[in-house]
């Protein structure tokens, strides 16, 4: 580099290193690369020099001009960034003050545990090809009893169990089995469906007894349905619900609408079948009644019993919820108490 | 019901190599639920007679001593003992370590004041063999050292099954030990002994002094009597029962009274047939009449309680007065007493439902009524009578049966058997496990069915004691086979079925959409409240419908004696509780309201969404959410400031005068959104603002959810926005402006919104900026068109009374 250019360069670099703000930088810019800046003037000052020198100086000073411009642009950018950041700092917010730390009342949201488990079980059945049905809570004698092979003098019809209305013909359904009857009325075999919903029992309430609770009825009707099929469905269902391989056993149980009828027990989930206080040392917990649909019930449903048979079962949803979460008082379920439901919140 | 295994062993030899728990479990899986297996008196096998050989002082306790005892097997033990009568030479009971004495008192190895005690020397009370609690029980000098007390005292150890009564409601034959024994014999493939053979019967008949009974019997119509068997026995001596009889009764949970009453109870527990024994001398006029109670209003039963009678109750009477409430309990006036010498014995059968009805009404459920309720087999009356006579003659050898055993009643004719046809194939197919025909026949025969092979069919005769309410069709036979081979042995098999697709019903889809939306978008909590309410709550909520038509006749509580006409009262009650805990909350319930109508009642699917805040009304946020919910349900709502009678009765006073809007969809009332009136809030002691939305879903649930999305290519031409600010009276709803401009007939209007509202303080006016966006999808909007359109917008507003704001 020619001496004179080098001199201006040194001079610039010294000045540049001392620049503190954008304004002085702009001054420096016009001083060196402005219209009549120092770099532009170099060539003019060499009017009398030879061509070769002029060419060399011109090349060098152009190079210097480029360098200077770039340095200044970069410096401007860094000044601007500094300014923006300063501004940001002024507007700084306290990012630790999340909503969840503030008292805004109750802000959690979620489903009632019974409706959550109901949906979970519905989904399992839908995945196995079952429809979901429902029926009225206020039923007549026919759908709740007669069509389920529960004849006129059967103890199940007693006042102790059933809420009756004044006409003594209508009642609050005592089980979701009435949905079986409604299902058979509306469907042609083969079919399979579940019917979840509220049921009512005339029973004094305490921590483990409720007058309103929830069941899920299931029914499958087809050709050549066997007890082995019933066990298969129950085992699949329960393994899904409890999210692990669940052992079940059937023992005889009497329900007028099934024959053979069973009580289905599951291996105690608390002790794994070894025996504990929950399973009364037996290793098994009674979970649901089920069985092969009684031929009389199929006949009431206008189903040809020479061709079709089927199975049915009823699952108590409240029990399941209480088992899953260790809920000690069933009355919480219908209390409308947000301290209760908020424990099962989604968020 | 309690079942004594010792008793069962009288009729069937049970397998030896099986624990009592296994026995119980096997029985549970095959027959009925064994709730508890209990070993009784087991400690008498462990507690032995020992001889005290030496007594030393306890090194660190004055009142205790160390006794050395001879255990009788060549071994000795040292026991810490505090009894005053412990001394060398006496024979006393010794409970070794791990014996469990009455009161669940387990002997554990432990040190007493520093000295190890190997068991315990016992007194009478500790062993429950007497009341003397002075010190150790002392046995005579000649008592055999080392002998277990069970052997020395002749105490029977037993295993008791506690059977869940509910699991045998359909099995009248299982309410006695002999019926249970038949099950054990079948389950364990053992032989059932027959103590009631033809020879046995004829031996009893030979004891009868033939002739007409001295007691005349009349069975009137309209009574519960199905069959009535009776006999007269004289020359009996009432006294203590022999030990075996006392033992049997106590193991089955009954107290011994006297030999005659004990025999009566024993036969009930053995054969499952309740019976009644009268003191013959108390039967007036030598006449037994089974009739309705009629004029008799009251009756004193054996337990000395006065029972109120209904005219239709069945009574066993003599010529003058009732002697027993049929099938339930005898009277105080005619029971067997210590001075009784002559008996009138009744073994009868009664109509199950009538017994149950009377027993339920008078609140008296006896061992007898419990069995008759199950519909017993009339054919068993005579057997029970023979057995009673058999036992009386055994225990009172001088007794004389005077006159014939008489048997009558509508059901006393010989049994016409129930026949069922099935096949091994049907049984195999239904159970889903192969069952050999020979095994089927074997099982059924053990259960007392008669089986005849007809080709590949089996013709089965049901025994009378299974035919009353239990076995009537092929499915019942399949159950018999299934339970005996063990349902547990069936391998799960997936059913063969064709592929079907399943889709949630429109109602289910909507329910899920609604709940998801309210949880995830509105951040609400789902609650449930009772579908039943009480009058008091309805009145407190000033609800105009009391739903008198839907009152329950047998409600549990007055607070839940009728179906709710609306979810609102119950939710107000729940909210009143929740405001005690939270300053702000949002919730919803997806339930039903119940109304008289239709065939009997109409159930409406109802959604109730609510928001509470202590500080400010949540009405607007709730209204916005319901509008969004309409979109989620693909509904186009119409909001109007009015009450929709179908959703909330207009006479209800709980609605805020201004924060109240009715929403219609598909031309029908859909929802009412409102804030609860402050006066009702204070009725429920709530301070703050509660807004509710009641959504009637009955018209929308079953409608298929259709998507109204229609794609349009993205616009190629710019849109134009026009803002104009107009003067509006301050009470005027601004929605009116949007409505006015939306009605301007320019098809290029893409949207009309409120852009800004400025309301100067102390002014009766507000300034509202209406923003209209114009868009032509096919061309750029010309200046001329726009100017013309702007004018039209302004004119329409002016025409509606909203002039441009002049600066």
């Amino acid at each position: 580099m020619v001496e004179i250019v080098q001199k201006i360069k040194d001079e610039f670099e010294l000045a540049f290193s001392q620049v503190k703000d954008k304004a002085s930088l702009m001054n420096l810019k016009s001083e060196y690369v402005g219209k009549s800046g120092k770099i532009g003037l170099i060539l003019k000052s060499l009017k009398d020099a030879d061509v070769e020198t002029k060419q060399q100086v011109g090349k060098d000073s152009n190079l210097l001009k480029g360098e200077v411009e770039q340095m200044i642009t970069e410096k401007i950018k860094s000044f601007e960034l500094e300014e923006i950041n300063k501004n940001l700092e002024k507007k700084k917010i306290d990012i630790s003050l999340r909503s969840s730390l503030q008292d805004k009342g109750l802000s959690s949201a979620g489903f009632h545990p019974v409706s959550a488990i109901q949906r979970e079980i519905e989904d399992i059945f839908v995945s196995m090809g079952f429809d979901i049905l429902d029926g009225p809570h206020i039923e007549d004698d026919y759908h709740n009893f007669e069509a389920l092979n529960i004849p006129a003098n059967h103890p199940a019809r007693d006042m102790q169990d059933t809420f009756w209305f004044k006409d003594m013909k209508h009642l609050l359904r005592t089980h979701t089995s009435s949905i079986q009857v409604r299902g058979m009325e509306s469907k042609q075999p083969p079919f399979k469906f579940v019917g979840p919903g509220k049921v009512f029992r005339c029973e004094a309430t305490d921590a483990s007894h409720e007058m309103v609770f929830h069941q899920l009825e299931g029914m499958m009707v087809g050709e050549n349905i066997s007890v082995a099929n019933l066990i298969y469905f129950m085992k699949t269902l329960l393994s899904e619900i409890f999210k692990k391989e669940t052992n079940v056993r059937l023992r005889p149980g009497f329900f007028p609408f099934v024959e053979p009828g069973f009580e289905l027990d599951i291996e105690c989930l608390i002790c794994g079948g070894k025996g504990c206080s929950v399973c009364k040392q037996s290793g098994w917990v009674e979970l649901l009644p089920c069985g092969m649909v009684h031929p009389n019930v199929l006949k009431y449903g206008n189903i040809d019993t020479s061709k079709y048979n089927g199975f049915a079962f009823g699952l108590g949803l409240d029990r399941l919820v209480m088992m899953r979460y260790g809920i000690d008082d069933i009355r919480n379920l219908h209390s409308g108490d947000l301290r209760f439901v908020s424990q099962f919140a989604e968020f | 019901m309690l079942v004594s295994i010792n008793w069962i062993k009288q009729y069937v030899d049970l397998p030896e190599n099986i624990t009592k728990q296994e026995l119980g479990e096997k029985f549970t899986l095959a027959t009925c639920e064994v709730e508890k297996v209990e070993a009784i008196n087991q400690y008498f096998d462990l507690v032995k007679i020992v001889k005290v050989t030496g007594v030393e002082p306890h090194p660190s306790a004055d009142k205790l001593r160390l006794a050395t005892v001879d255990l009788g097997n060549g071994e000795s033990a040292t026991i810490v003992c505090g009894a005053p009568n412990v001394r060398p030479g006496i024979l006393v009971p010794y409970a070794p370590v791990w014996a469990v004495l009455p009161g669940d008192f387990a002997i554990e190895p432990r040190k007493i004041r520093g000295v190890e005690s190997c068991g315990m020397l016992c007194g009478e009370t500790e062993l429950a063999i007497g009341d003397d609690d002075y010190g150790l029980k002392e046995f005579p000098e000649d008592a055999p050292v080392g002998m277990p007390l069970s052997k020395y005292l002749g105490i029977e150890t037993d295993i008791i099954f506690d059977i869940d009564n509910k699991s045998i409601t359909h099995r009248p034959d299982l309410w006695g030990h002999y019926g249970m024994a038949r099950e054990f014999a079948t389950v364990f493939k053992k032989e059932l002994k027959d103590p009631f053979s033809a020879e046995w019967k004829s031996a009893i008949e030979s004891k009868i002094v033939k002739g007409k009974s001295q007691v005349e019997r009349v069975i009137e119509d309209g009574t519960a009597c199905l069959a009535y068997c009776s006999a007269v026995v004289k020359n009996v001596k009432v006294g203590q029962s022999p030990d075996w009889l006392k033992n049997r009764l106590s193991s089955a949970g009954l107290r011994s009274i006297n030999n005659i009453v004990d025999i009566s109870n024993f036969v009930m527990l053995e054969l499952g047939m309740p019976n009644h024994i009268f003191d013959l001398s108390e039967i007036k006029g030598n006449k037994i009449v089974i009739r309705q109670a009629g004029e008799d209003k009251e009756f004193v039963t054996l337990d000395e309680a006065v029972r109120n009678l209904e005219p239709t109750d069945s009574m066993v009477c003599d010529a003058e007065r009732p002697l027993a409430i049929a099938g339930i309990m005898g009277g105080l006036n005619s029971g067997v007493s210590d001075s009784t010498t002559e008996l009138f014995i009744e073994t009868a059968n009664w109509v199950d439902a009538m017994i149950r009805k009377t027993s339920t009404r008078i609140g008296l459920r006896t061992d007898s009524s419990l069995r008759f309720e199950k519909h017993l087999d009339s054919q068993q009356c005579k057997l029970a009578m023979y057995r009673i006579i058999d036992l009386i003659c055994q225990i009172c050898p001088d007794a004389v049966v005077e006159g014939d055993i008489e048997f009558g009643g509508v059901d006393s004719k010989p049994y016409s058997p129930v026949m069922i046809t099935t096949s091994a194939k049907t049984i195999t197919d239904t159970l889903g496990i192969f069952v050999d025909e020979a095994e089927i026949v074997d099982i059924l025969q053990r259960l007392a069915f008669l089986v005849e092979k007809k080709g590949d069919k089996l013709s089965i005769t049901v025994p009378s004691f299974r035919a009353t309410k239990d076995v009537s069709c092929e499915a019942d036979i399949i159950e018999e086979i299934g339970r005996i081979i063990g349902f547990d042995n069936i391998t799960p098999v997936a059913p063969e079925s064709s592929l079907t697709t399943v889709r949630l019903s429109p109602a289910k889809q909507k329910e899920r959409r609604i709940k998801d939306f309210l949880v995830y978008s509105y951040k609400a909590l789902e609650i449930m409240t009772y579908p039943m309410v009480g009058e008091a709550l309805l009145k407190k909520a000033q609800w105009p419908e009391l739903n008198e038509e839907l009152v329950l006749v047998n409600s549990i509580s007055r607070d839940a004696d009728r179906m709710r006409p609306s979810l609102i009262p119950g939710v107000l009650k729940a909210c009143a509780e929740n405001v005690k805990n939270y300053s702000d909350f949002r919730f919803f319930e997806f339930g039903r309201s119940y109304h008289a109508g239709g065939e009997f009642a109409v159930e409406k699917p109802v959604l109730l969404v609510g928001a509470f805040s202590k500080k400010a009304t949540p009405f607007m946020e709730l209204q916005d959410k319901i509008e969004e919910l309409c979109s989620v349900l693909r509904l186009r709502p119409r909001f109007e400031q009015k009450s929709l009678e179908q959703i909330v009765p207009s006479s209800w006073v709980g609605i805020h005068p201004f924060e109240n809007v009715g929403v219609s969809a598909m031309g029908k009332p859909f929802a009412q959104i409102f804030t609860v009136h402050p006066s009702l809030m204070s009725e429920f002691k709530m301070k703050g603002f509660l807004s509710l939305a009641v959504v009637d879903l009955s018209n929308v649930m079953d409608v298929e959810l259709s998507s109204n999305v229609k794609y349009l290519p993205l616009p190629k031409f710019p849109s134009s926005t026009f803002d104009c600010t107009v003067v509006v009276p301050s009470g005027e709803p601004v929605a009116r402006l949007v409505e006015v401009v939306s009605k301007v007939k320019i098809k290029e209007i893409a949207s009309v919104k409120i852009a800004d509202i400025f309301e100067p303080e102390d002014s009766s006016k507000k300034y509202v900026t209406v923003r209209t966006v114009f868009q032509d999808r096919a061309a750029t909007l010309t200046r001329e068109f726009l100017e013309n359109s702007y004018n039209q917008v302004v004119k329409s507003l002016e025409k509606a009374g909203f002039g441009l704001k002049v600066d």
Side-chain angles (χ1 to χ4, degrees), chain B residues 555-582:
Chain B
S555 59
I556 298 276
S557 126
R558 297 179 72 176
D559 293 335
D561 69 348
R562 66 195 67 206
M563 304 313 290
R564 62 181 173 202
S566 162
L567 275 65
I568 294 172
V571 159
L572 286 175
K573 187 179 161 208
C575 281
E577 289 304 313
N578 286 315
V579 297
K580 294 176 186 165
N581 302 311
Y582 301 106

Side-chain angles (χ1 to χ4, degrees), chain B residues 43-111:
Chain B
Y43 63 97
F44 283 112
D45 277 343
L46 296 172
V47 177
K48 292 175 184 173
I49 299 171
V50 297
K51 185 169 190 171
V52 181
T53 54
V55 178
E56 303 277 331
H58 190 287
S60 55
D62 288 348
K63 287 192 175 167
L64 296 178
R65 266 157 307 164
L66 304 181
T68 309
V69 299
D70 171 8
L71 297 178
N73 55 359
E75 289 176 24
S76 64
T78 305
I79 294 130
V80 179
C81 178
N85 62 336
V86 63
R87 61 188 190 276
I90 58 169
L91 275 66
V92 295
Y94 161 72
V97 166
W98 300 128
V100 181
L101 301 187
D104 276 337
F105 175 54
I107 311 290
E108 285 166 16
R110 60 179 186 136
K111 284 185 174 173

